Amino acid sequence: MTDKPVSEGISLTAEDTQISSNGRVGMVSLGCPKNSVDSEKILTQLQLNGYEISNNYSDADVVVVNTCGFIDAAKQESLDAIREAMTENGKVIVTGCMGKGADAELIKEENPGVLAITGAHAYEEVMDAVHEWVPPTQAHNPFIDLVPEEGVKLTPRHYSYLKISEGCNHSCTFCIIPDMRGKLVSRPVGDVLDEAKRLVAAGTKELLVISQDTSAYGVDVKYRTGFWDGMPVKTKLYDLCEQMSKLGVWVRLHYVYPYPSVDDIMPLMAAGKILPYLDIPFQHASPRILKLMKRPAHAENTLERIKKWRQQVPNLVLRSTFVVGFPGETEEDFQLLLDWLDEAELDRVGCFKYSPVEGAKANELPDHVPEEIQQQRWERFMAKAQQISTRKLAQRIGQTMTVLIDEVDEDGAIGRTYADAPNIDGMVYLNDFHDCQPGDLLEVVIEHSDEYDLWGSPLS
């Protein structure tokens, strides 16, 4: 959202707003892909209700800000976005992870003119607030107002995030997601597959399956049997993946906890039915720290499980995120993590320094690690991860790999292999090659690599 200020954070009544309403709504979406899916649903519903979507502050009758509250830095970004929207427009509805409890009170305190505040994935409440302040100027006409069947998307046409559940049943001490998003609620398997089919029909070449805990899909409904295309399908990750594999597109799994049940989907990867890629938030390797974190599966021998996975799926790619400097982490714990990383040889790795989050139980733990030691450990961790990534990517040189093109600019085409998720992993650069467009799948010979990216040339 850009443009000149309309008002300097003024507070209007619903009646005042309605007088000059043109039925235009702006959206600022922050945070993870799960939040992006929520924003897409809100935008879709707005258009179905006869609203126009505005791309700048000055044209919008109201601005919806979808917040992220995972860590303090994300909260500050959300507060800055709300403040900017209030300054540039003055009529703001806040939704998302900061829309409950103490965070909601903070928003009200800093921005007393905010029109309404709702929690995460509260689509109906957002729509009620928009209706109250900005009545649509015309009813939705399906013959004129062409809302795509797959809904409004914030991603490029060729890849789409597919959210399969809301919430989480875990009580990790550093996380307040269950407080913000509630307990696990799995979507009906038929609804998920219907959405997947619509997205593929609209041009999606890659489905990115997301949730707070993808491995737990269906646990809350005891893996109830649903129906899709007239056939019974269990509400279970394996069955969901098996059905999606029939759609003929890449299927990539994110936020998969290392439960033993993950073993079941290895045959699907080995058979090429879904991408041999797992995004698993391991967070640490020290059993003592994992126990302090109250991580699920903290007692599992993850190295042994990774070894077995790679025996079944030799081209399996693993990405993960870790936290260093967690309260109580000793040098011995951290060295154990580095040794684990050496042995696990994860392909893609991210790392965060522990940051207190208001309301998290980890705040009460003793022996918080000083910032300077956190920084040193972060640098040592990233240096180790970079060495591993550099070595593993160099092994790709000479291979022919399928590349999904994301963009084409004056320098050439840019894409990704099965080993790379959008916006978080590496890229493949095809310098001076322009004979393609986003969404194309090309066979590419890999010629060069660095710490994170690859370069190559398409086969004739």
Side-chain angles (χ1 to χ4, degrees):
M1 300 277 299
T2 59
D3 227 309
K4 299 296 183 182
V6 173
S7 58
E8 297 300 319
I10 60 173
S11 177
L12 302 177
T13 67
E15 184 178 351
D16 291 334
T17 305
Q18 290 174 10
I19 291 173
S20 59
S21 171
N22 295 308
R24 296 193 186 101
V25 181
M27 169 71 78
V28 177
S29 184
L30 303 167
C32 66
K34 294 182 285 292
N35 248 24
S36 296
V37 171
D38 291 344
S39 295
E40 290 175 344
K41 291 184 181 300
I42 291 169
L43 289 169
T44 299
Q45 197 58 47
L46 285 169
Q47 289 202 346
L48 289 172
N49 278 251
Y51 291 96
E52 294 182 30
I53 307 303
S54 174
N55 290 322
N56 56 66
Y57 288 115
S58 62
D59 285 345
D61 295 301
V62 69
V63 177
V64 178
V65 180
N66 192 2
T67 60
C68 175
F70 183 56
I71 59 176
D72 286 348
K75 289 184 179 181
Q76 189 57 54
E77 183 183 12
S78 295
L79 291 171
D80 292 343
I82 295 168
R83 189 178 305 112
E84 178 181 288
M86 287 294 293
T87 300
E88 298 286 334
N89 183 283
K91 292 152 286 184
V92 178
I93 294 168
V94 177
T95 187
C97 293
M98 288 189 70
K100 293 177 64 177
D103 289 338
E105 293 304 316
L106 178 61
I107 291 170
K108 291 177 185 176
E109 181 182 328
E110 293 195 4
N111 303 277
V114 163
L115 304 180
I117 301 176
T118 77
H121 54 86
Y123 315 125
E124 291 184 6
E125 293 178 45
V126 173
M127 293 308 303
D128 288 344
V130 172
H131 281 311
E132 179 183 355
W133 291 91
V134 186
T137 56
Q138 58 185 6
H140 171 66
N141 185 333
F143 299 103
I144 300 174
D145 308 321
L146 298 179
V147 179
E149 186 180 1
E150 73 277 12
V152 176
K153 291 178 77 250
L154 297 177
T155 57
R157 181 170 179 260
H158 62 280
Y159 68 82
S160 303
Y161 291 104
L162 181 65
K163 186 158 62 170
I164 63 174
S165 66
E166 294 286 0
C168 179
N169 286 344
H170 305 305
S171 54
C172 302
T173 56
F174 58 85
C175 180
I176 58 172
I177 291 295
D179 295 332
M180 295 187 292
R181 289 186 168 266
K183 293 293 186 180
L184 174 71
V185 179
S186 299
R187 292 180 60 195
V189 67
D191 290 355
V192 174
L193 290 169
D194 280 342
E195 182 178 351
K197 188 175 182 178
R198 288 195 301 271
L199 289 168
V200 171
T204 291
K205 301 292 184 65
E206 177 182 17
L207 291 167
L208 299 113
V209 178
I210 58 170
S211 67
Q212 203 61 44
D213 180 359
T214 298
S215 310
Y217 178 65
V219 167
D220 55 314
V221 295
K222 299 180 179 179
Y223 306 119
R224 175 193 303 146
T225 298
F227 289 88
W228 184 62
D229 278 359
M231 298 291 291
V233 183
K234 282 189 175 181
T235 309
K236 195 172 186 179
L237 184 60
Y238 174 87
D239 301 79
L240 180 67
C241 289
E242 188 174 41
Q243 294 303 318
M244 284 195 293
S245 73
K246 300 174 183 179
L247 297 174
V249 298
W250 284 6
V251 177
R252 188 184 302 276
L253 302 182
H254 285 278
Y255 315 123
V256 178
Y257 284 78
Y259 306 142
S261 60
V262 177
D263 300 352
D264 297 339
I265 61 177
M266 288 299 135
L268 296 178
M269 294 184 177
K273 292 186 174 182
I274 63 174
L275 293 183
Y277 176 104
L278 282 177
D279 176 2
I280 300 179
F282 287 114
Q283 304 295 13
H284 214 281
S286 164
R288 192 179 72 85
I289 296 300
L290 288 169
K291 189 173 182 180
L292 286 174
M293 290 178 169
K294 289 192 176 179
R295 291 294 288 167
H298 69 266
E300 298 287 341
N301 186 338
T302 51
L303 284 175
E304 185 62 28
R305 177 151 287 123
I306 289 171
K307 182 179 179 181
K308 289 181 179 178
W309 289 345
R310 285 177 169 154
Q311 287 173 348
Q312 295 179 72
V313 189
N315 61 338
L316 177 66
V317 165
L318 296 174
R319 100 162 316 275
S320 188
T321 52
F322 294 84
V323 175
V324 296
F326 189 79
E329 183 190 65
T330 64
E331 177 61 27
E332 183 181 359
D333 292 317
F334 178 68
Q335 189 59 52
L336 193 156
L337 172 58
L338 293 184
D339 294 343
W340 185 96
L341 199 60
D342 260 331
E343 191 167 351
E345 286 203 308
L346 303 186
D347 301 83
R348 301 297 192 184
V349 173
C351 183
F352 299 92
K353 292 176 287 185
Y354 170 76
S355 173
V357 176
E358 187 173 351
K361 294 179 181 178
N363 300 342
E364 303 167 8
L365 292 174
D367 303 321
H368 281 239
V369 179
E371 168 63 28
E372 60 269 21
I373 296 180
Q374 284 190 342
Q375 180 65 26
Q376 291 170 9
R377 289 178 181 171
W378 181 85
E379 291 174 0
R380 290 163 62 192
F381 180 96
M382 292 308 297
K384 173 71 69 177
Q386 190 178 82
Q387 291 172 6
I388 295 171
S389 177
T390 301
R391 182 170 67 251
K392 297 203 77 172
L393 287 179
Q395 296 170 4
R396 301 282 189 190
I397 296 175
Q399 293 183 12
T400 298
M401 303 187 73
T402 303
V403 172
L404 178 62
I405 300 300
D406 280 335
E407 61 178 298
V408 182
D409 59 23
E410 63 274 10
D411 296 322
I414 306 171
R416 295 174 289 109
T417 71
Y418 79 91
D420 307 298
N423 301 316
I424 55 174
D425 293 330
M427 308 297 296
V428 180
Y429 294 93
L430 309 179
N431 292 342
D432 300 320
F433 182 77
H434 300 87
D435 190 19
C436 61
Q437 58 186 359
D440 284 351
L441 287 163
L442 305 179
E443 295 303 302
V444 173
V445 178
I446 305 302
E447 300 168 335
H448 177 68
S449 67
D450 65 7
E451 299 92 336
Y452 302 113
D453 301 312
L454 299 170
W455 283 258
S457 299
L459 290 176
S460 301

